[in-house]
C-alpha cells in the first residue's frame, strides 16, 4: 500500500527536556526542603529506577508508576525516603509544562517536508503532558494527537496506535511509526502491521533493522524525493 501517514513518538524523538528539567531540578527542590542531593549520581539513579520500573500488566496509563520512578531517582541521588514522594510531585509538575521542552533542530524541517509530500502526521506519546497544548505551544502542524493519559493505555498497547490511525483515516499498512523505543514504538507498531523506524540519536542500537540517527534521513528512508 502507498504510504499516507507518519506517526511520531514525542519525547526524545521530536523533543528533549530543557534546562528546567535537568538533574539540577532535583537539587533545587531538595534544597527547598532543607536537604542536599548529589547531581553527579543522577544518571546512575535514573538507570537503576528504570530497571525497577514495572508497567501496569494491562498497559494501562498509571501516573503512580511514574511517580514512584521519580521518587526512586530522588532517593538514588541521596534524598531522604521520608520526603521523596512530596519532592517527586514537585519534580513531576515541571514535566507537564510544554515550554520546559525544546524541539530537536531536525523536527520542524522534517515535519514540514513530510507535510509538503502530502503525508498526514500524528503524535502518539506515553506521558503526563497535555499533548494538544504541547502542539499549540511548539506550533506543530499535525493531524492527530493521542497521549496515553487521555487515551488510558500506553504504548505498545495496540489501541493507542489504532486511535491515531482512526483520527488520520488511514489503515495500519498505510502508516509508518517513528520513535526512540524499540519495545514501545517499533515493536508496538509492527505488531499492528505498520512500518516502524527506530530513531537512535545516540547510536545505541546499531543492529536494529530500519534505524536512523536523526530525522533528516527520514524522507529518504520513506522513499520521498527531496525538493530541488
Amino acid at each position: 500500500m502507498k504510504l499516507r501517514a507518519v506517526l511520531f513518538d514525542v519525547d526524545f524523538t521530536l523533543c528533549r527536556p530543557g534546562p528546567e528539567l535537568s538533574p539540577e531540578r532535583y537539587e533545587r527542590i531538595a534544597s527547598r526542603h532543607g536537604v542536599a542531593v548529589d547531581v553527579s549520581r543522577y544518571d546512575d539513579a535514573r538507570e537503576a529506577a528504570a530497571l525497577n520500573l514495572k508497567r501496569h500488566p494491562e498497559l494501562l496509563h498509571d501516573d503512580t508508576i511514574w511517580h514512584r520512578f521519580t521518587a526512586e531517582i530522588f532517593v538514588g541521588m541521596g534524598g531522604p525516603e521520608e520526603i521523596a514522594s512530596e519532592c517527586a510531585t514537585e519534580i513531576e509538575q515541571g514535566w507537564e509544562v510544554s515550554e520546559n521542552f525544546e524541539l530537536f533542530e531536525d523536527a520542524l524541517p522534517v515535519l514540514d517536508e513530510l507535510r509538503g509530500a502530502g503525508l498526514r502526521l500524528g503524535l502518539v506519546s506515553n506521558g503526563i503532558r497535555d499533548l494538544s497544548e504541547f502542539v499549540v505551544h511548539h506550533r506543530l502542524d499535525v493531524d492527530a494527537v493521542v497521549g496515553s493519559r487521555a487515551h488510558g493505555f500506553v504504548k505498545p498497547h495496540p489501541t493507542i496506535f489504532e486511535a491515531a490511525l482512526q483520527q488520520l483515516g488511514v489503515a495500519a499498512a498505510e502508516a509508518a511509526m517513528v520513535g526512540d523505543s524499540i519495545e514501545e514504538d517499533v515493536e508496538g507498531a509492527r505488531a499492528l502491521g505498520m512500518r516502524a523506524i527506530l530513531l537512535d540519536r545516540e547510536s545505541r542500537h546499531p543492529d536494529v533493522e530500519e534505524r536512523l540517527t536523526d530525522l533528516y534521513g527520514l524522507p529518504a528512508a520513506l522513499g520521498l524525493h527531496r525538493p530541488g
Side-chain angles (χ1 to χ4, degrees):
M1 282 191 183
K2 181 183 176 183
L3 182 70
R4 296 179 57 204
V6 182
L7 303 180
F8 289 90
D9 169 54
V10 179
D11 292 344
F12 304 103
T13 298
L14 296 180
C15 72
R16 61 190 159 209
E20 180 58 29
L21 299 179
S22 68
E24 284 73 24
R25 179 173 179 81
Y26 287 78
E27 184 178 46
R28 290 193 299 271
I29 289 173
S31 178
R32 288 206 296 270
H33 287 263
V35 299
V37 296
D38 186 349
V39 172
S40 69
R41 290 166 60 180
Y42 173 80
D43 288 339
D44 289 341
R46 192 180 195 285
E47 186 173 340
L51 290 174
N52 292 333
L53 187 66
K54 298 289 189 293
R55 282 191 293 207
H56 191 284
E58 296 177 5
L59 295 178
L60 292 173
H61 177 98
D62 186 346
D63 284 349
T64 64
I65 292 172
W66 300 107
H67 182 77
R68 288 195 300 272
F69 175 70
T70 306
E72 282 191 34
I73 295 174
F74 179 81
V75 172
M77 294 171 70
E81 287 266 8
E82 54 268 24
I83 63 168
S85 180
E86 184 180 356
C87 290
T89 297
E90 293 182 50
I91 292 164
E92 289 166 339
Q93 288 169 354
W95 286 80
E96 298 186 20
V97 181
S98 296
E99 63 204 50
N100 286 344
F101 292 81
E102 48 194 38
L103 296 179
F104 286 105
E105 64 177 11
D106 52 11
L108 290 179
V110 172
L111 290 177
D112 287 346
E113 190 170 342
L114 299 183
R115 175 67 81 197
L119 294 173
R120 295 177 65 74
L121 306 174
L123 306 182
V124 184
S125 176
N126 292 347
I128 61 176
R129 254 183 349 281
D130 180 339
L131 269 192
S132 297
E133 195 276 332
F134 179 84
V135 165
V136 172
H137 177 81
H138 290 286
R139 299 177 182 175
L140 300 178
D141 181 17
V142 297
D143 306 293
V145 174
V146 183
S148 61
R149 175 181 267 180
H151 176 69
F153 289 94
V154 298
K155 295 176 294 183
H157 198 280
T159 62
I160 193 168
F161 297 104
E162 289 168 346
L165 294 173
Q166 184 174 16
Q167 286 187 29
L168 294 169
V170 301
E174 298 175 308
M177 175 71 197
V178 181
D180 70 308
S181 169
I182 295 174
E183 182 180 7
E184 294 174 1
D185 300 315
V186 175
E187 294 177 354
R190 288 178 181 168
L192 268 184
M194 297 171 61
R195 181 181 176 187
I197 297 174
L198 177 70
L199 184 61
D200 186 16
R201 291 188 180 274
E202 297 184 7
S203 295
R204 293 177 176 172
H205 307 285
D207 298 328
V208 171
E209 183 182 355
E210 290 226 85
R211 178 186 75 103
L212 295 171
T213 55
D214 60 52
L215 287 176
Y216 290 123
L218 181 60
L222 296 175
L224 306 179
H225 297 293
R226 288 188 175 276

